[in-house]
């Protein structure tokens, strides 16, 4: 078992050098079975994150470290706080000059109430070809697929064409301070050479109207702008007239914020998403045209509008209220919390509008804020993600999108790592991937995990990117852009 440390070079033992030629059966039946078993095992390790430090990822971290060590790697277990454990390992590639890729996933999950579920949320039960439990989608399934791929490479005696850094993080479901933020701030050397990172919330099947199978790949994230509102007033008896009632002042501000319709602000990623999603529906759209009406287009996209609607503008949703201690006492203080999200470049507008909506009687301050992200959708690495999905689902329609929320990619971006959401799963009709995030009866089909293992292996083993920048659009293989879904793909091996 790897030892806990507060430093290190993140190195790994080098597996067998044999890499020449295409290795038949690199992803074998054992790899597929391990993806399912690892998902189930990780779900059974309760890493529910209740916030405020109430979580312990170490048992899950030790589990993944054991699987990595068994594959010949030298994983590091890193902690900022006791029990809040991260795991990092590096797989050396065959081309030491190639840009490295970071593959990261978090080990914590949001809480789950067993009484609400059809199956106990921490059972990891496999029933009728489906793995059930908290984290099946977000994101222990992806964690397991990565383990299965890495171990399959070790058995086959192959190495990826570039260094691949694997990171399993703590606390993504809260502040990430003992997790990705800690790794980026205090262990940056472990990620040396990484220019691109892939993680959760992209590459999944979205069943749109007309039988279309979309696969949105995330190339951006809105920023977090969590706000605390404070209304001061005059305390007094509940039976008296009070024109300085803190509850009334807070309620008025919260109502204004909740009812406000933020102006449309289209970023490059969202423009590309609107254009491509419209195209697969047979709708011509030009988001760059003067007078373009994003809301009008969204109304035409049917169910697919859900992929974009939350990211065409900033948002601010009231979520918590706290005031008073007795029904017949008017409190002198009332507090509210707002979940604000900002599109890239929308931070200044958010602050200006919040000043206007809160008014003179309510103060506001950031409770937590985090940057927004954008990644190029015409980059070589995006084209290869598209190609990997289409290889294993020829009818896939791969489209870019921007996440409405955020991930650990924000912290790794401080190291110059461009983040994409790419945790591929092929889901049958009736599975609402986004609803399963943090939802009741979270689950993932066994076949979806098998699909993800094959896609991840194909993408990470793609040698066509080793002699070029992963994110420079001028180096993109243009044959992979605008391809009709039924055209065969050239084998990159």
């Amino acid at each position: 078992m790897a030892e806990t440390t507060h430093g290190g070079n993140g190195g790994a033992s080098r597996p067998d050098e044999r890499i020449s030629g295409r290795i038949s059966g690199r992803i074998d039946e054992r790899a597929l079975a391990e993806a399912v078993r690892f998902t189930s095992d990780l779900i059974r390790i309760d890493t529910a994150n209740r916030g405020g430090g109430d979580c312990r990822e170490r048992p899950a971290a030790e589990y993944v470290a054991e699987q990595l060590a068994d594959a010949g790697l030298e994983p590091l277990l890193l902690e900022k706080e006791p029990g809040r454990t991260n795991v990092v390992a590096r797989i050396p590639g065959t081309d030491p000059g190639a840009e490295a890729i970071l593959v990261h996933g978090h080990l914590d999950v949001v809480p789950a109430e067993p009484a609400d579920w059809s199956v106990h949320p921490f059972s990891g039960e496999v029933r009728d070809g489906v793995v059930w439990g908290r984290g099946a989608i977000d994101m222990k399934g992806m964690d397991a697929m990565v383990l299965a791929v890495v171990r399959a490479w070790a058995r086959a005696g192959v190495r990826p064409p570039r260094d691949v850094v694997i990171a399993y993080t703590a606390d993504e479901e809260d502040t990430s301070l003992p997790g990705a933020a800690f790794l980026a701030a205090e262990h940056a050397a472990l990620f040396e050479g990484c220019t691109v990172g892939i993680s959760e919330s992209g590459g999944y099947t979205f069943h749109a109207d007309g039988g279309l199978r979309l696969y949105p790949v995330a190339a951006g994230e809105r920023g977090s702008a969590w706000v605390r509102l404070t209304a001061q007033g005059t305390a007094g008896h509940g039976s008296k007239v009070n024109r300085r009632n803190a509850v009334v002042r807070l309620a008025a501000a919260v109502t204004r914020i909740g009812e406000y319709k933020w102006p449309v602000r289209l970023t490059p990623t969202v423009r590309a998403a609107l254009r491509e999603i419209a195209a697969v529906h047979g709708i011509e759209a030009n988001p760059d045209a003067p007078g373009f009406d994003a809301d009008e287009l969204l109304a035409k996209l049917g169910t697919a509008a859900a992929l974009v609607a939350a990211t065409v503008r900033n948002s601010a949703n009231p979520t918590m209220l706290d005031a008073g201690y007795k029904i017949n006492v008017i409190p002198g203080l009332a507090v509210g919390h707002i979940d604000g999200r900002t599109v890239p470049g929308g931070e200044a507008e958010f602050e200006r509008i919040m000043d206007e909506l809160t008014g003179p009687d309510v103060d506001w301050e950031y409770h937590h804020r985090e940057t927004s992200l954008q990644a190029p959708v015409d980059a070589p690495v995006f084209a290869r993600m598209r190609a990997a999905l289409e290889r294993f689902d020829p009818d896939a329609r791969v489209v870019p999108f921007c996440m409405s929320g955020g991930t650990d990619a924000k912290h790794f971006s401080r190291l110059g790592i461009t983040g994409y959401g790419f945790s591929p799963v092929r889901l049958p009709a009736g599975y609402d991937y986004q609803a399963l995030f943090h939802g009741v009866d979270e689950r993932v089909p066994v076949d979806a995990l098998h699909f993800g293992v094959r896609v991840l292996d194909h993408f990470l083993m793609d040698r066509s990117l080793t002699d070029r920048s992963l994110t420079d659009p001028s180096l993109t293989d243009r044959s992979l852009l605008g391809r009709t879904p039924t055209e065969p793909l050239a084998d990159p091996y």
Side-chain angles (χ1 to χ4, degrees):
M1 174 61 64
E3 296 182 357
T4 302
T5 178
H6 294 280
N9 60 12
S13 59
R14 289 185 175 267
D16 194 315
E17 296 289 333
R18 291 173 294 138
I19 187 66
S20 59
R22 181 172 184 174
I23 306 297
S24 176
R26 187 173 58 231
I27 296 301
D28 53 13
E29 289 298 321
R30 179 175 171 181
L32 302 180
E34 284 190 342
V36 178
R37 177 166 64 87
F38 294 158
T39 301
S40 183
D41 287 351
L42 286 169
I43 289 171
R44 285 198 290 269
I45 302 172
D46 184 349
T47 53
N49 190 338
R50 295 167 182 82
D54 186 4
C55 183
R56 187 170 180 269
E57 291 92 351
R58 187 170 183 90
E62 291 179 343
Y63 180 92
V64 299
E66 181 179 359
Q67 308 309 322
L68 293 171
D70 189 52
L73 303 179
E74 296 177 357
L76 293 172
L77 280 75
L78 303 162
E79 293 182 346
K80 180 180 177 66
E81 303 167 5
R84 311 305 308 275
T85 315
N86 305 273
V87 182
V88 181
R90 180 180 288 259
I91 305 169
T94 57
D95 182 353
E99 297 179 1
I101 288 183
L102 168 63
V103 182
H104 60 100
H106 60 86
L107 296 171
D108 60 326
V109 297
V110 296
E113 178 54 57
D116 297 334
W117 286 56
S118 304
V119 174
H120 194 286
F122 298 105
S123 68
E125 180 176 342
V126 182
R127 177 194 296 180
D128 299 326
V130 176
V131 186
W132 292 73
R134 176 61 83 218
I137 290 291
D138 184 18
M139 65 172 297
K140 290 180 174 179
M142 172 65 169
D143 294 342
M145 292 190 296
V146 173
L147 285 178
V149 169
V150 170
R151 289 165 58 86
W153 292 349
R155 288 193 302 274
V158 302
R159 289 163 47 202
R162 64 190 62 78
D163 283 12
V164 174
V165 176
I166 308 295
Y168 292 102
T169 63
D171 205 47
E172 191 274 346
E173 296 292 1
D174 194 21
T175 66
S176 297
L177 290 178
F182 160 66
L183 293 178
E186 300 188 30
H187 295 280
L190 298 177
F191 307 96
E192 183 178 356
C194 291
T195 59
V196 164
I198 62 169
S199 190
E200 61 183 319
S201 299
Y204 60 90
T205 318
F206 183 98
H207 292 273
D209 297 336
L212 293 171
R213 280 204 303 276
L214 306 184
Y215 284 82
V217 172
E221 301 181 4
R222 290 200 301 174
S224 300
W226 296 352
V227 167
R228 172 187 168 95
L229 306 178
T230 304
Q232 304 280 352
T234 301
H237 198 286
S239 67
K240 305 295 184 182
V241 174
N242 190 325
R243 302 301 182 190
R244 292 175 48 82
N245 188 319
V247 174
V248 172
R249 290 176 169 181
L250 178 67
V254 166
T255 299
R256 289 193 295 270
I257 292 168
E259 293 181 346
Y260 182 73
K261 184 174 182 178
W262 293 78
V264 170
R265 296 287 182 262
L266 299 183
T267 63
T269 295
V270 172
R271 290 175 187 274
L274 288 169
R275 187 180 296 109
E276 294 196 31
I277 294 172
V280 300
H281 284 81
I283 300 171
E284 185 175 347
N286 181 9
D288 298 320
F292 173 77
D293 189 329
D295 290 322
E296 181 180 336
L297 176 60
L298 289 172
K300 299 176 182 178
L301 296 182
T303 56
L307 294 172
V308 193
T311 58
V312 300
R313 47 173 56 92
N314 290 338
S315 66
N317 285 311
T319 55
M320 297 170 61
L321 298 172
D322 182 17
Y325 57 88
K326 197 170 186 295
I327 194 169
N328 63 344
V329 177
I330 298 172
L333 178 71
V335 175
H337 287 85
I338 306 293
D339 184 343
R341 307 287 171 149
T342 57
V343 301
E347 294 80 7
E349 177 184 73
F350 181 84
E351 294 178 357
R352 177 177 58 80
I353 297 298
M354 286 299 296
D355 284 341
E356 295 176 6
L357 295 177
T358 52
D361 297 323
V362 176
D363 295 323
W364 73 272
E365 62 183 347
Y366 285 112
H367 171 70
H368 171 75
R369 65 188 300 192
E370 196 50 77
T371 187
S372 56
L373 298 179
Q374 280 197 105
V377 302
D378 53 354
V381 69
F382 192 95
R384 297 317 309 188
M385 286 187 279
R386 184 193 300 269
L389 287 165
E390 291 175 343
R391 180 178 181 84
F392 294 98
D393 185 354
D395 292 326
R397 303 294 187 96
V398 181
V399 297
F401 85 119
C402 177
M403 297 184 209
S404 60
T407 72
D408 279 341
K410 296 181 187 300
H411 302 286
F412 292 120
S413 73
R414 295 182 172 89
L415 302 179
I417 299 173
T418 300
Y420 291 92
F422 187 66
S423 51
V425 286
R426 177 174 174 173
L427 299 171
Y431 270 75
D432 186 340
Y433 180 90
Q434 294 181 334
L436 291 172
F437 264 75
H438 300 190
V440 172
D441 285 344
E442 185 179 351
R443 60 201 184 277
V444 63
V446 167
D447 287 346
L449 296 172
H450 293 175
F451 175 85
V453 167
R454 294 187 175 103
V455 172
L456 285 170
D457 165 72
H458 188 82
F459 167 69
L460 293 171
M461 277 292 185
D462 188 341
R463 293 201 304 275
S464 68
L465 295 174
T466 54
D467 60 349
R468 63 183 73 186
S469 167
L470 295 173
T471 56
D472 184 350
S474 69
L475 299 175
T476 301
D477 181 351
R478 313 313 290 184
S479 69
L480 298 177
L481 302 179
R483 191 184 65 82
T484 57
T486 54
E487 277 183 54
L489 279 167
D491 195 326
Y493 289 96

